[in-house]
Amino acid sequence: MRYRFIRCATLLVFLAALGACGGKAPPDVQSGRTIVLGFDGMDPRLAAQWMDSGDLPHFAQLAQQGYFGSLGTTIPAQSPVAWSSFATGTQPGQHGIYDFLRREKESYLPSFSVSETIFPDAALDLFGWHIPLADASIRNRRVGAPFWEDWESRGGSATVLRVPVTYPPDDIDHMIAGMGVPDLLGTQGTYTLYSTRPVAGGESGRVVLMKAGEDGRIETALAGPPHPLKQALEPLETPLQFYPAEGGTGVVLGERDFVLAQGEWSDWVAVSFDLLGVIRIRGVVRLHLLEDYPRPRVYVSPIQIDPHNPLAPISSPPDYAGKLADRIGMFHTIGMPEETWSLNNGHLTDEAFLEMIETTFAEREAMLFDALENNGSDLVVGVFVQTDRVSHMFYRGLDPQHALYGETGARARGAIAWSYREADRVLGRVMEQLREGDRLIVLSDHGFSPYRWSVNLNAWLRDNGYLALQDGSGTSDVGFAQVDWSRTRAYAVGLNSLYLNLAGREAQGIVGAEEVDELKRELSRGLLAMRDPQREQPVVKTVYDGSRVYSGNANGDAPDLVVGYHRGYRASWQTTLGAAPAELISINRGKWSGDHCVAVDEVPGVLFTSFKLEQRVDSIEQVAQLAMQGRRAQP
Ligand SMILES: [Zn+2]
């Protein structure tokens, strides 16, 4: 999933140049490898249905020879939470990732829970210039050691590809970082739409309105990272031109001059942003022509860190990403490259989105087989997130109750089944390469559920007297802009998290420690009794008490309550960002039509193994141990 809140630009340009730190020589692996494939969001019901219909022959074969079952997910059922449990073999209370978003206790503002940039305090502000006196650093907020480090400390060699919450990359033999890697702007993905007609803006995107000259030529610019030395964070820019051409729209960008046909994606285009003529910040983009002349409309992907010239570490060893790109071609480096927001905003078509998914799928596949061939690792872990992204955006094709079901075309309707067949094809290729003694584990982090109705949880808290607004306000904008903290006892941020406004913890907390248990009980009772006024049905299936379901409170971010919705419901986007709109529940009319942020027993993941299980594996954090058995079995 991609979220828009990670706007605050990180000054990547100040990251220290990477020191070379070479990996160990690859061991000669004869047999006994452990290969772990993750297919994010693969749902056991859909997998079983399509195994039965013969669409997933390799999954069916694996189920028959080894094991297939559903796999318990984390509380809550969110990718960064569940993959952190997978990596560390622990529950959220220990690894410290509880939601896509956490809240800052000082400001109550939402922030990305996966990684954070720590800015140097020391800076010199002079004549409008902002000169930091030390380098910024980036921290992965996941606490605890991932099992691949344990694997290597026991003499093994690991390759880990695109597992979420691995940024900055762990120091192992081979890693390509996944969710958490920012774009060149320091965000989790900001695209740009160039148009000659006014277009409504949207989350995570920038719209640039352009005007053609008499000959049709258009001179514009691609805005890059903020100027690191200017206080106002003005962006650095690189020129961009469009012109009418035979067969499409001509594009001049970076050192390239090429023609794009309508509906076509370009290959990678290198761009650079000059800083005072001294430093060049390099990135790569792809362009897509939505509409040709006379009214050209062009989509430019988020500016990715160039694997050959990474401004920030995206692989271990640092030169692995560049060497990999030499062998398999350039690839998307940002942690969440699938352009879900562009599609949800109507800035990309279903077809363009699916083509983009095909590209990232092929990149991940090439990475995986390159690693199996070249890295000499006896542990290879690779996660494919395309199954999750396609399920988010095309559940509307499977769900007759979704507002867009009727207008979802044939290709879109078959998109989820297609993504599962692609997973099956990759699985088949891996199974072909298995050697005597190899162990194959396939899992997902959670399943899927329809997303038909959005719940404004902060509106419910307001209507029931837990969240107070400033005098004269009936609603609150994002970031709790109109909330009166001196009278607020509870608030919601993120996809499932609810917090008390606790005295001594929150900056303006008013709830005393002695009131906590009773207030949590009261809130739980109220949430379970909440009815959808239009559909006259309950909304919340389970409320989890943070102090009971989490042993420990790593990072100090554990929510007080975790809200598990019934299938069909999900926290609204406004809720995730701390807004309280007027209505309690609204119909979801977006293409983002499937989700998994519901009661966790509704959305287990899958587990397949090529071998018989010696003991039950009930939940995702136990998969780390299951994988480690492969290391222990080796001589
Ligand atoms: Zn997801």
Side-chain angles (χ1 to χ4, degrees):
M1 289 198 271
R2 174 177 300 153
Y3 295 83
R4 76 170 172 112
F5 8 82
I6 332 311
R7 273 294 166 74
C8 163
T10 56
L11 302 183
L12 283 173
V13 283
F14 280 111
L15 295 174
L18 296 166
C21 82
K24 297 169 222 159
D28 183 19
V29 182
Q30 301 296 333
S31 66
R33 296 174 304 175
T34 293
I35 300 170
V36 185
L37 292 185
F39 292 105
D40 198 303
M42 184 172 272
D43 183 89
R45 278 168 286 214
L46 294 177
Q49 179 190 329
W50 289 325
M51 282 194 285
D52 286 349
S53 62
D55 286 300
L56 308 176
H58 300 104
F59 280 103
Q61 189 189 332
L62 209 52
Q64 211 189 5
Q65 83 182 58
Y67 172 83
F68 164 54
S70 61
L71 181 68
T73 182
T74 44
I75 299 174
Q78 297 184 30
S79 296
V81 186
W83 288 116
S84 295
S85 282
F86 161 75
T88 60
T90 64
Q91 294 185 354
Q94 280 99 54
H95 64 60
I97 309 287
Y98 305 91
D99 197 305
F100 259 100
L101 289 175
R102 49 193 280 272
R103 88 316 189 190
E104 303 285 350
K105 297 180 198 95
E106 280 300 307
S107 61
Y108 299 87
L109 293 178
S111 65
F112 193 37
S113 61
V114 169
S115 58
E116 71 183 331
T117 304
I118 302 156
F119 294 103
D121 288 335
L124 189 63
D125 288 326
L126 207 59
F127 311 125
W129 297 74
H130 178 82
I131 303 159
L133 299 176
D135 290 335
S137 63
I138 296 173
R139 181 169 85 91
N140 185 341
R141 302 191 82 259
R142 185 198 65 206
V143 176
F147 72 86
W148 36 86
E149 287 184 1
D150 189 16
W151 186 280
E152 292 202 342
S153 70
R154 291 166 193 255
S157 162
T159 292
V160 176
L161 303 168
R162 298 289 297 185
V163 176
V165 203
T166 52
Y167 178 72
D170 301 316
D171 184 16
I172 57 171
D173 280 354
H174 291 89
M175 174 173 273
I176 300 288
M179 177 201 291
V181 179
D183 62 14
L184 216 58
L185 275 57
T187 73
Q188 292 300 304
T190 302
Y191 64 87
T192 318
L193 182 70
Y194 293 86
S195 176
T196 48
R197 288 191 187 97
V199 181
E203 328 280 329
S204 264
R206 308 180 288 193
V207 174
V208 176
L209 201 57
M210 336 179 273
K211 205 168 165 4
E214 263 172 31
D215 57 354
R217 240 183 149 79
I218 298 171
E219 311 257 353
T220 178
L222 177 64
H227 195 302
L229 303 179
K230 295 268 179 82
Q231 282 166 333
L233 295 178
E234 299 161 27
L236 298 166
E237 291 187 337
T238 196
L240 172 61
Q241 281 179 31
F242 301 114
Y243 61 90
E246 180 84 28
T249 293
V251 180
V252 182
L253 178 62
E255 292 179 356
R256 297 273 305 277
D257 184 339
F258 58 97
V259 176
L260 260 185
Q262 185 163 312
E264 186 186 23
W265 280 99
S266 74
D267 57 6
W268 289 102
V269 182
V271 292
S272 70
F273 301 90
D274 282 347
L275 179 59
L276 306 173
V278 189
I279 302 172
R280 275 206 156 166
I281 303 163
R282 291 169 198 277
V284 287
V285 293
R286 292 174 78 219
L287 293 85
H288 175 76
L289 183 62
L290 288 151
E291 191 179 339
D292 201 355
Y293 271 90
R295 305 303 297 267
R297 198 154 36 95
V298 186
Y299 176 92
V300 179
S301 73
I303 310 167
Q304 323 263 325
I305 292 174
D306 181 345
H308 291 106
N309 299 285
L311 276 168
I314 59 168
S315 67
S316 266
D319 63 0
Y320 175 40
K323 286 181 177 165
L324 185 61
D326 289 341
R327 292 197 294 268
I328 69 166
M330 190 68 92
F331 52 85
H332 291 79
T333 55
I334 187 172
M336 293 181 278
E338 293 76 19
E339 318 203 9
T340 46
W341 271 115
S342 333
L343 180 59
N344 209 42
N345 293 334
H347 291 166
L348 267 190
T349 60
D350 285 356
E351 289 70 28
F353 177 83
L354 285 170
E355 264 178 52
M356 191 271 168
I357 291 280
E358 278 175 16
T359 303
T360 63
F361 217 121
E363 290 169 358
R364 304 299 168 254
E365 185 177 352
M367 270 179 200
L368 174 67
F369 288 97
D370 175 87
L372 289 170
E373 200 168 302
N374 295 315
N375 289 2
S377 296
D378 53 4
L379 171 68
V380 176
V381 182
V383 171
F384 290 76
V385 297
Q386 291 75 18
T387 32
D388 176 84
R389 307 306 189 262
V390 171
S391 300
H392 277 296
M393 304 315 295
F394 294 97
Y395 215 90
R396 57 195 153 102
L398 293 185
D399 179 19
Q401 289 193 60
H402 192 272
L404 295 180
Y405 177 74
E407 52 195 88
T408 298
R411 187 180 180 199
R413 202 160 278 198
I416 300 177
W418 164 79
S419 74
Y420 278 52
R421 288 197 303 275
E422 280 294 284
D424 188 78
R425 188 182 55 73
V426 170
L427 176 63
R429 280 189 69 195
V430 171
M431 287 166 74
E432 244 170 55
Q433 297 204 359
L434 287 184
R435 306 173 195 149
E436 182 80 28
D438 283 353
R439 291 158 63 90
L440 174 61
I441 299 170
V442 183
L443 78 153
S444 68
D445 53 339
H446 52 66
F448 254 85
S449 161
Y451 171 21
R452 301 168 189 147
W453 306 294
S454 297
V455 182
N456 290 315
L457 192 54
N458 285 311
W460 183 86
L461 290 169
R462 174 200 60 207
D463 296 347
N464 289 275
Y466 299 106
L467 181 121
L469 298 179
Q470 292 158 9
D471 289 343
S473 302
T475 58
S476 176
D477 297 328
V478 297
F480 302 103
Q482 284 80 25
V483 168
D484 178 353
W485 293 109
S486 71
R487 296 184 292 126
T488 288
R489 290 185 291 158
Y491 61 102
V493 168
L495 286 149
N496 298 93
S497 302
L498 198 154
Y499 303 90
L500 304 184
N501 190 20
L502 191 62
R505 186 184 67 182
E506 267 75 1
Q508 302 172 62
I510 60 163
V511 175
E514 70 290 352
E515 302 167 74
V516 166
D517 287 344
E518 181 48 35
L519 182 53
K520 284 202 288 192
R521 274 197 295 273
E522 190 186 306
L523 280 162
S524 301
R525 277 196 303 272
L527 287 164
L528 291 169
M530 184 199 303
R531 305 278 295 179
D532 175 340
Q534 276 87 44
R535 283 150 286 272
E536 298 182 342
Q537 55 190 18
V539 173
V540 175
K541 185 179 183 193
T542 316
V543 182
Y544 309 90
D545 180 340
S547 59
R548 283 167 198 260
V549 296
Y550 301 134
S551 59
N553 182 5
N555 283 334
D557 289 338
D560 296 305
L561 295 173
V562 179
V563 180
Y565 297 96
H566 276 293
R567 283 177 83 80
Y569 291 93
R570 210 209 66 181
S572 66
W573 294 111
Q574 293 99 317
T575 300
T576 66
L577 298 173
E583 60 182 346
L584 177 61
I585 287 166
S586 56
I587 295 175
N588 171 28
R589 300 183 193 281
K591 287 188 171 178
W592 189 303
S593 50
D595 218 303
H596 37 79
C597 304
V598 295
V600 302
D601 57 329
E602 293 286 351
V603 281
V606 295
L607 178 67
F608 292 85
T609 56
S610 63
F611 49 91
K612 299 287 180 200
L613 290 185
E614 287 165 23
Q615 61 203 61
R616 286 171 58 107
V617 178
D618 295 316
S619 59
I620 190 164
E621 75 273 8
Q622 294 168 343
V623 177
Q625 260 223 313
L626 178 68
M628 282 304 295
Q629 283 167 8
R631 182 69 218 151
R632 292 192 197 102
Q634 287 189 24

